[in-house]
Amino acid sequence: MRLAKPVRLAFAAATAATLVLTSCGSDSGSDSDAGTSGAASGKPKAGGSLTYALDVEPTCFDLQVNQQGITGDIERGVVDSLVAVDAKGEFHPWLATSWEVAADLKTYTFKLREGVTFTDGTPFDAAVVKANFDRIVDKKTKSQYAATLLGPYTGADVIDAHTVKVNFAKPFAPFLQATSTPNLGFYSTRSLSRRPDELCAGGSAIVGTGPFVFSSYTKGQNVVLTKNPKYNWAPQQAAHTGAAYLDKVTFRFLTEDTVRVGAVTSGQADVATSIPPSDIKTVEADKGLKIRKVEDPGGAYNVFLNTAHGPLADQRVRRAIQLGADVDQAVKTVYFGQYARAWSPLTPATPSYDKTLTNAIAFDPTAAGKLLDEAGWTGRDGQGYRTKDGKRLTLDWPWNPPHTREQREVVAQAIQADLKKIGVEVTRPALDIGAYVSLALNGKYDLYDFSWTRFEPDLLRGFFNSASLPATGGQNAANLRDPQVDTWTEAGAATLDRAKRDDVYGKVQHKVVVDDAVVLPIYVPTKLVAVATDVSGLTVDPNGKPLLFDAWRS
């Protein structure tokens, strides 16, 4: 079937968030132009620079390898995608001018825009699309996320220089949305010929077709993007054509909250992400700043309970952990009402979110204790922790301090204290990033936490399908092996019918939260972004990535 342009996702949910939809403070609701930040007024003008303070530094800049969302945040302005998705869930042309999808959803044929070049001067064409996709699925690449976006990919056929057909072994409905993400954006063939460590290192090794050039990276300090003056192929729904307005964007890595807030309030940064809820009033009091609030689509901040390791192999113990943690109180206390409690592994802004899960997990330490008794953890040691056969009930919850954001460690401490009251010891080994990733691969942990941003419920396949285990590069941190969940997630990936998707993805959410207790949803990731009032045109796409192309300074 041919997909007209623009085409609405058959499974689109309510309008996805942009930086302009919700403002905190006295100016709430004052923005009139949905295409700008509403901060400045007047006609857009070229020139100037923007300093963007981030709370996390990427461990690797190779989008085809690294799963960190921050890598995509930075490189959204460097790489372009085949299609774009707007806040209403409609697809628009970008590097592809049109596309055809086979009725069986097993082939996608794209007509590519002509005249597009990478910033190293090489052309963008069908062969480049094939080379990028082939590299992503190559086991030597060790893709930690992008490969899941290609699912059952079997290869791409170069029909001619500007026509490429992408093939799948079975129906794969999420692919078109996946092509809107930066992780399926494109590097030049010269970039792909470099050693993997060079791409991870960033800088000039990263070459895209985007409105900005990845000019430099200084570890521990910043990334600098500069304008691509030849750019003239923005997505169809962009506010202007031609080159970007800004000459330069500097991403500064300011991982300490006080330093990041200080940078934006002092004017050393023009934008700062992850403003702590406790500092909202301070920022709002600054007349040169506004706070933008955006609830992310995708995966909530979840704690995954490892079903294949230690005490959590017992569903009763997993359920006890859910009931024994006062998540409501932790979220309210740490985030001052700015973040919503999560009830599903998906966030409310995500298509197929199951709102019936609200209040499905109630804090009940008495019930938790009874479950632990039933599971045989009836003894107590000298410190009050439960024991069975002389062994203490201990759960390992590793973390990597440099890459832990949004005060998640404070939430973890609250949960740790709650579980201690029901006799469960939670250890928090602090690991360097290498050891942390290795632990995920070998499955030797009990609890593992993360969030994920993507406007697509197929995330549930990544989170819970048995083909997506961490040992094979997937995100199934619960190490769940459930044939029914596999069937449902694969069925969701094989249809664009919204009702069918809502049904199967709703069943998955209910099973992993209520029936199997393999996940403890904590909060809905929410961008609290401080933006200088002289910055306009700054938005985020439905995948949660900042769009710098239309941004300008007054």
Side-chain angles (χ1 to χ4, degrees):
M1 61 181 174
R2 172 172 289 277
L3 292 182
K5 53 183 191 294
V7 60
R8 182 178 298 278
L9 280 73
F11 48 88
T15 300
T18 69
L19 285 178
V20 307
L21 293 183
T22 307
S23 299
C24 298
S26 60
D27 67 315
S28 181
S30 65
D31 297 331
S32 59
D33 183 355
T36 74
S37 68
S41 59
K43 184 178 180 181
K45 62 181 182 179
S49 62
L50 186 76
T51 299
Y52 206 121
L54 300 173
D55 61 331
V56 178
E57 182 174 358
T59 59
C60 169
F61 287 98
D62 188 344
L63 282 165
Q64 298 178 1
V65 173
N66 192 16
Q67 82 279 22
Q68 286 180 291
I70 195 66
T71 307
D73 290 350
I74 293 170
E75 291 184 49
R76 177 69 288 178
V78 176
V79 300
D80 291 329
S81 298
L82 287 174
V83 304
V85 177
D86 67 20
K88 296 179 181 179
E90 294 180 344
F91 293 120
H92 297 266
W94 195 345
L95 292 182
T97 58
S98 63
W99 48 87
E100 293 183 2
V101 183
D104 61 4
L105 301 180
K106 292 171 67 174
T107 63
Y108 294 72
T109 303
F110 297 91
K111 296 294 293 185
L112 305 180
R113 187 190 296 263
E114 299 185 25
V116 177
T117 59
F118 288 92
T119 54
D120 62 7
T122 58
F124 169 78
D125 56 21
V128 168
V129 175
K130 176 176 172 58
N132 275 263
F133 288 175
D134 286 352
R135 176 183 184 257
I136 288 170
V137 300
D138 189 331
K139 293 188 182 301
K140 292 183 293 185
T141 302
K142 298 180 180 179
S143 173
Q144 299 168 21
Y145 175 49
T148 67
L149 297 176
L150 285 172
Y153 172 82
T154 58
D157 300 326
V158 177
I159 307 303
D160 58 46
H162 297 100
T163 309
V164 61
K165 183 170 73 171
V166 183
N167 307 300
F168 297 94
K170 55 186 178 182
F172 193 53
F175 177 61
L176 203 56
Q177 193 281 334
T179 65
S180 73
T181 66
N183 299 85
L184 291 191
F186 301 98
Y187 293 141
S188 76
T189 51
R190 289 180 185 173
S191 283
L192 298 183
S193 68
R194 290 180 179 260
R195 298 193 312 272
D197 60 325
E198 290 183 88
L199 282 172
C200 262
S204 60
I206 301 290
V207 178
T209 63
F212 293 93
V213 179
F214 197 139
S215 295
S216 68
Y217 166 54
T218 303
K219 187 175 177 60
Q221 296 185 38
N222 60 53
V223 160
V224 176
L225 308 184
T226 54
K227 180 190 294 190
N228 172 11
K230 297 181 180 179
Y231 191 74
N232 195 29
W233 40 85
Q236 188 183 65
Q237 79 276 24
H240 80 287
T241 59
Y245 294 125
L246 295 169
D247 292 329
K248 183 172 74 171
V249 177
T250 301
F251 289 100
R252 294 183 61 192
F253 305 119
L254 304 178
T255 57
E256 293 186 20
D257 290 342
T258 55
V259 175
R260 195 169 56 260
V261 172
V264 75
T265 55
S266 67
Q268 297 176 60
D270 308 301
V271 181
T273 61
S274 298
I275 299 298
S278 58
D279 290 319
I280 290 296
K281 290 185 178 180
T282 298
V283 176
E284 288 178 336
D286 189 324
K287 295 182 179 179
L289 297 171
K290 290 182 183 288
I291 286 287
R292 306 295 164 187
K293 183 175 180 179
V294 185
E295 288 192 354
D296 284 339
Y301 172 56
N302 297 301
V303 178
F304 295 89
L305 285 62
N306 192 347
T307 63
H309 184 263
L312 294 181
D314 188 327
Q315 188 269 354
R316 293 169 297 186
V317 178
R318 298 197 300 271
R319 184 64 174 168
I321 299 306
Q322 287 183 330
L323 299 177
D326 192 353
V327 175
D328 268 349
Q329 185 60 39
V331 172
K332 289 176 183 177
T333 301
V334 176
Y335 301 115
F336 293 82
Q338 295 291 334
Y339 294 1
R341 162 75 192 272
W343 300 104
S344 162
L346 297 181
T347 69
T350 314
S352 297
Y353 170 76
D354 184 2
K355 63 182 180 181
T356 66
L357 287 174
T358 302
N359 297 320
I361 302 173
F363 177 53
D364 191 340
T366 301
K370 290 179 180 179
L371 285 167
L372 293 176
D373 288 342
E374 291 175 12
W377 295 95
T378 55
R380 295 277 182 167
D381 63 16
Q383 292 181 272
Y385 290 113
R386 289 177 176 267
T387 62
K388 181 168 67 172
D389 300 327
K391 184 178 180 181
R392 177 183 287 184
L393 178 49
T394 300
L395 304 179
D396 288 327
W397 184 358
W399 69 302
N400 173 241
H403 296 95
T404 297
R405 56 193 176 88
E406 296 174 348
Q407 298 177 285
R408 291 177 178 179
E409 174 55 15
V410 181
V411 174
Q413 291 170 6
I415 293 174
Q416 187 179 38
D418 287 338
L419 296 183
K420 182 178 181 178
K421 294 175 183 177
I422 62 170
V424 179
E425 179 185 43
V426 177
T427 60
R428 293 284 285 161
L431 306 177
D432 62 42
I433 191 63
Y436 186 71
V437 172
S438 295
L439 200 68
L441 296 176
N442 63 36
K444 293 182 179 179
Y445 58 85
D446 296 297
L447 305 172
Y448 208 87
D449 60 294
F450 57 81
S451 59
W452 211 282
T453 304
R454 187 186 173 196
F455 189 54
E456 167 56 63
D458 186 55
L459 279 174
L460 294 172
R461 182 174 57 88
F463 288 172
F464 302 112
N465 191 289
S466 62
S468 184
L469 299 174
T472 59
Q475 301 88 48
N476 183 354
N479 283 283
L480 183 65
R481 296 173 182 267
D482 187 309
Q484 186 66 77
V485 170
D486 289 352
T487 297
W488 286 331
T489 53
E490 287 163 9
T495 181
L496 283 171
D497 184 277
R498 177 174 178 174
K500 291 180 181 178
R501 283 188 143 221
D502 288 349
D503 177 55
V504 294
Y505 288 132
K507 289 175 179 175
V508 173
Q509 292 167 74
H510 189 276
K511 197 169 199 303
V512 299
V513 173
V514 178
D515 298 340
D516 291 344
V518 302
V519 61
L520 177 59
I522 305 296
Y523 66 80
V524 178
T526 302
K527 289 183 174 67
L528 297 176
V529 184
V531 184
T533 54
D534 67 344
V535 175
S536 274
L538 179 64
T539 61
V540 297
D541 69 11
N543 294 305
K545 305 306 173 189
L547 299 176
L548 302 168
F549 175 67
D550 288 323
W552 58 283
R553 304 297 298 270
S554 63

